[in-house]
């Protein structure tokens, strides 16, 4: 009977409504076949879950894989070990909080944004990752590009949107309005992670309109953790060179 219960549950999960409705009528025939059927249904569930995960990974468009484990908090004052663990726990996504990383180039903002996105994908969340200029391009071409329209539809379904490199390129008035509309739509539904080389004081210059910037920041920072990074940057401190004088003695 326990096994028939299991068959019933699996059939429901897979949307096999006929089998789900008639599971218990199968009792006489089931006795010898139930193990086999359970195995088949478990296989089907695992297969579908894996396919859904692969689809989510493809849709998310992560440009690289970075992990929390590879992030060295001793190299960065902007985040403590405890904060890193909170960030990696991801329950702020369920609470629909935003995270904004601010700091100069090379300080690990994109690394952590990617680590968040990667772990969220692993944990079953729907994610989209894009640089600000790609996102703006998607917004601008939504009416004329089926690809952009599909991306936007996905973004609206996502639990997490990561916007990388806000502030490197200024946006036009039209673009700023489209961006504001998107953030307004996502407000209180989707967690947004943003990396920026500019502090909030500089955002009016990026957006080009102080009133719109205030309204945007109002929505973004309502439930938000801001992490400010500093320092010369990991790339500078860990620069690798082709012509390394310490190798000279070896030859
Ligand atoms: P940003 O986005 O702030 O410009 P990145 O995240 O792209 O910087 O970091 C530049 C490079 O340095 C990346 O390869 C990243 O993995 C590495 N990096 C930066 N900070 C750290 C850190 N604290 N621990 C480990 N790697 C780091
Ligand atoms: Mg970056």
């Amino acid at each position: 009977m326990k096994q028939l219960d299991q068959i019933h549950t699996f059939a429901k999960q897979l949307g096999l409504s006929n089998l789900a409705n008639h599971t218990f009528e199968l009792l006489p025939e089931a006795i010898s076949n139930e193990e086999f059927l359970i195995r088949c249904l478990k296989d089907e569930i695992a297969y579908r879950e894996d396919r859904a995960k692969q689809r989510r990974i493809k849709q998310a468009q992560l440009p690289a894989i970075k992990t929390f484990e590879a992030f060295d908090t001793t190299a960065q004052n902007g985040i403590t070990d405890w904060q890193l663990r909170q960030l990696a726990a991801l329950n702020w996504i369920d609470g629909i909080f935003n995270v904004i990383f601010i700091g100069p180039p090379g300080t690990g903002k994109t690394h952590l944004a990617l680590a968040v996105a990667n772990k969220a994908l692993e944990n079953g969340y729907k994610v989209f990752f894009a640089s600000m200029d790609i996102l703006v391009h998607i917004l601008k071409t939504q009416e004329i590009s089926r690809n952009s329209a599909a991306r936007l539809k996905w973004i609206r379904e996502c639990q997490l949107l990561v916007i990388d490199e806000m502030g490197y390129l200024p946006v036009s008035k039209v673009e700023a309005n489209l961006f504001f509309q998107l953030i307004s739509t996502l407000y209180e539904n989707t967690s947004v992670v943003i990396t920026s080389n500019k502090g909030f004081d500089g955002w009016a210059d990026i957006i080009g309109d102080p009133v719109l910037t205030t309204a945007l920041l109002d929505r973004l920072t309502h439930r938000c953790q801001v992490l400010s990074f500093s320092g010369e940057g990991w790339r500078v401190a860990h620069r690798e060179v082709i012509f390394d004088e310490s190798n000279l003695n070896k030859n």
Side-chain angles (χ1 to χ4, degrees):
M1 229 19 212
K2 200 168 145 257
Q3 284 163 321
L4 274 182
D5 277 340
Q6 245 185 321
I7 291 172
H8 178 73
T9 311
F10 289 152
K12 264 175 73 173
Q13 189 177 342
L14 292 167
L16 305 173
S17 46
N18 187 56
L19 179 60
N21 291 338
H22 300 105
T23 315
F24 297 101
E25 293 165 21
L26 295 172
L27 187 57
E29 292 142 74
I31 306 297
S32 61
N33 291 327
E34 57 201 3
E35 292 284 354
F36 173 69
L37 186 55
I38 285 173
R39 224 207 69 204
C40 290
L41 293 175
K42 272 189 175 164
D43 257 21
E44 181 69 22
I45 288 170
Y47 168 74
R48 287 190 191 191
E49 282 175 354
D50 186 57
R51 236 182 20 175
K53 184 177 172 192
Q54 294 311 326
R55 216 177 304 134
R56 277 188 302 102
I57 289 173
K58 191 158 175 258
Q59 292 273 36
Q61 306 254 303
L62 303 203
I65 300 295
K66 294 279 177 183
T67 63
F68 289 106
E69 291 74 22
F71 193 83
D72 179 3
T73 46
T74 61
Q76 180 49 251
N77 291 328
I79 187 163
T80 63
D81 270 332
W82 181 80
Q83 285 175 319
L84 192 81
R85 282 197 299 277
Q86 297 299 307
L87 194 65
L90 301 184
N91 32 23
W92 50 273
I93 297 180
D94 302 323
I96 319 184
F97 274 84
N98 300 332
V99 179
I100 301 181
F101 297 102
I102 291 173
T107 47
K109 305 181 298 296
T110 302
H111 182 130
L112 285 181
L114 280 166
V116 167
N118 185 40
K119 186 150 185 212
L121 277 175
E122 286 294 325
N123 283 272
Y125 292 100
K126 291 179 183 171
V127 178
F128 187 68
F129 187 106
S131 61
M132 181 66 176
D133 54 324
I134 289 178
L135 184 65
V136 163
H137 175 79
I138 291 170
L139 287 167
K140 268 202 312 193
T141 54
Q142 56 183 304
E143 307 289 347
I144 51 163
S145 154
R146 227 191 285 164
N147 197 23
S148 296
R151 294 254 176 284
L152 261 177
K153 184 168 174 286
W154 176 252
I155 289 171
R156 293 198 191 97
E157 279 176 40
C158 280
Q159 283 103 17
L160 175 70
L161 170 66
V162 182
I163 306 165
D164 195 26
E165 299 194 340
M166 165 121 183
Y168 281 94
L169 298 171
V171 292
S172 71
K173 207 174 167 67
V174 172
E175 292 166 352
N177 271 301
L178 287 168
F179 181 63
F180 175 72
Q181 273 171 31
L182 176 70
I183 296 299
S184 299
T185 322
L186 301 181
Y187 180 57
E188 292 189 326
N189 284 310
T190 312
S191 280
V192 180
V193 169
I194 296 181
T195 81
S196 180
N197 60 333
K198 294 203 170 75
F200 293 145
D201 291 349
W203 281 35
D205 292 336
I206 311 168
I207 304 293
D209 176 339
V211 179
L212 197 65
T213 307
T214 307
L216 181 74
L217 281 174
D218 209 45
R219 281 158 184 75
L220 283 174
T221 59
H222 175 211
R223 289 162 70 78
C224 183
Q225 181 71 45
V226 180
L227 294 163
S228 294
F229 289 1
S230 56
E232 63 168 357
W234 181 272
R235 278 187 283 245
V236 176
H238 296 81
R239 195 154 51 98
E240 291 177 34
V241 291
I242 304 172
F243 308 119
D244 184 352
E245 288 192 23
S246 62
N247 286 331
L248 281 179
N249 300 335
K250 293 180 194 157
N251 296 316

